Amino acid sequence: MNSGIHIFDNADELFRGGAERFCELAKEAITQRGAFHVALAGGTTPRGLYRLLSTPEFVAKVPWSGVHLYFGDERCVPPDDRESNFRMVKENLLDRLTGDKPVINRVMAELPPEEAAADYQDRLEKQLPGNTQGQPRFDLVLLGMGADGHIASLFPDTPILHETEKSVSALYVDKLESWRISLTLPVIHHARHIMLLVSGGKKADILRHIHHTTPCAAPLPIQMLMCKSSVEWYLDKDAAQQL
Ligand code: 6PG
């Protein structure tokens, strides 16, 4: 399901649109519930969004002391590794915030994968408010999407896609020859809001595919998400050129 497709002229305008929506949801959550629990996307696309959120213009709009940052997924590397999503968020957002700081809940990805997943799952259960069924509930899950239709570290044809209970799992990704820790579909489904931030012509084919074809017997991870959850799409024109 789509709860809106927002298309922007270029990546900078996309980041601005995404930052405005982030601020709106943060203020709403903090006003209504006293905190904003958000899982951030990794990869490269959101770097521009995070940098924009750290500028004085947006720092003034977000009550950062009420923001609780989590990660949608993490590579199983130390936090100072160039592959680390935490390091990417630290460099593009956290180190640039000069005033109030958010509460950071990073994945302890330097631990053995199963241990890191269990630790993160435990912290989500303790720190996130529960939904009506008692499952951990994010106010926002911000996701990117790969050209193969993966979201977070939910890659096509991986067992994690069939997890129905746990909020967090460790998985070995054959094609990357590396371990990842990822939120699972159930906890993403429970989120109050889900934003997909997609930029660049390399994502045009996959966007056309998922918006113009009915999910087949083996839906892609993004299609599995869309079957049960409303997604807000934030795209630039290059990515949306085939829609
Ligand atoms: C990661 C991300 C991953 C990312 C997509 C898109 O850890 O890499 O969580 O799901 O969002 O792979 O990556 P780009 O934004 O770099 O295209």
Side-chain angles (χ1 to χ4, degrees), residues 42-46 73 75 85 144-146 150-152 180 203:
T44 57
T45 300
D73 72 325
R75 293 80 180 278
N85 284 333
M145 183 179 66
H150 81 260
I151 48 176
R180 295 281 187 99
K203 307 289 175 74

Side-chain angles (χ1 to χ4, degrees), residues 27-96:
K27 280 189 279 192
E28 174 191 290
I30 292 167
T31 302
Q32 292 178 8
R33 296 179 293 278
F36 178 52
H37 296 276
V38 51
L40 296 179
T44 57
T45 300
R47 290 177 183 172
L49 167 61
Y50 301 152
R51 281 200 296 275
L52 187 57
L53 283 171
S54 71
T55 59
E57 176 189 0
F58 282 93
V59 165
K61 294 180 181 181
V62 179
W64 283 103
S65 57
V67 177
H68 295 246
L69 295 181
Y70 303 77
F71 291 78
D73 72 325
E74 186 56 281
R75 293 80 180 278
C76 289
V77 294
D80 58 355
D81 188 292
R82 61 182 298 120
E83 284 296 306
S84 166
N85 284 333
F86 169 77
R87 174 175 161 175
M88 182 273 289
V89 169
K90 183 174 183 296
E91 290 174 346
N92 291 282
L93 176 61
L94 304 179
D95 290 350
R96 298 163 178 254

Side-chain angles (χ1 to χ4, degrees), residues 33 37-39 128-129 131 135-143 183-195 225 228-232:
R33 296 179 293 278
H37 296 276
V38 51
L128 279 181
N131 68 3
Q135 284 101 346
R137 189 176 201 192
F138 286 102
D139 293 301
L140 171 64
V141 174
L142 174 64
L143 296 167
L183 296 183
T184 60
L185 280 171
V187 74
I188 299 172
H189 285 315
H190 298 148
R192 290 178 189 274
H193 300 276
I194 302 166
M195 276 176 72
L225 175 65
K228 288 179 66 178
S229 291
S230 226
V231 174
E232 298 176 34

Side-chain angles (χ1 to χ4, degrees), residues 53-239:
L53 283 171
S54 71
T55 59
E57 176 189 0
F58 282 93
V59 165
K61 294 180 181 181
V62 179
W64 283 103
S65 57
V67 177
H68 295 246
L69 295 181
Y70 303 77
F71 291 78
D73 72 325
E74 186 56 281
R75 293 80 180 278
C76 289
V77 294
D80 58 355
D81 188 292
R82 61 182 298 120
E83 284 296 306
S84 166
N85 284 333
F86 169 77
R87 174 175 161 175
M88 182 273 289
V89 169
K90 183 174 183 296
E91 290 174 346
N92 291 282
L93 176 61
L94 304 179
D95 290 350
R96 298 163 178 254
L97 288 174
T98 51
D100 288 345
K101 303 282 188 185
V103 177
I104 313 297
N105 302 279
R106 75 174 182 89
V107 180
M108 309 301 273
E110 63 273 27
L111 296 173
E114 298 298 344
E115 207 175 311
D119 169 76
Y120 193 47
Q121 161 99 26
D122 185 50
R123 282 188 281 128
L124 293 192
E125 287 175 349
K126 285 180 179 150
Q127 294 166 201
L128 279 181
N131 68 3
T132 49
Q133 290 82 35
Q135 284 101 346
R137 189 176 201 192
F138 286 102
D139 293 301
L140 171 64
V141 174
L142 174 64
L143 296 167
M145 183 179 66
D148 61 357
H150 81 260
I151 48 176
S153 286
L154 305 174
F155 287 86
D157 308 315
T158 53
I160 192 174
L161 293 172
H162 307 294
E163 175 58 54
T164 57
E165 298 300 322
K166 293 190 294 183
S167 302
V168 180
S169 269
L171 72 153
Y172 185 78
V173 184
D174 291 330
K175 73 179 195 179
L176 299 177
E177 297 180 343
S178 61
W179 281 91
R180 295 281 187 99
I181 308 294
S182 183
L183 296 183
T184 60
L185 280 171
V187 74
I188 299 172
H189 285 315
H190 298 148
R192 290 178 189 274
H193 300 276
I194 302 166
M195 276 176 72
L196 261 288
L197 193 76
V198 186
S199 171
K202 289 179 182 170
K203 307 289 175 74
D205 285 345
I206 187 66
L207 282 169
R208 178 192 46 73
H209 175 74
I210 59 179
H211 286 283
H212 292 300
T213 58
T214 50
C216 57
L220 294 170
I222 179 61
Q223 291 174 309
M224 294 174 76
L225 175 65
M226 292 166 72
C227 283
K228 288 179 66 178
S229 291
S230 226
V231 174
E232 298 176 34
W233 292 92
Y234 281 71
L235 312 173
D236 63 15
K237 268 188 178 163
D238 286 345

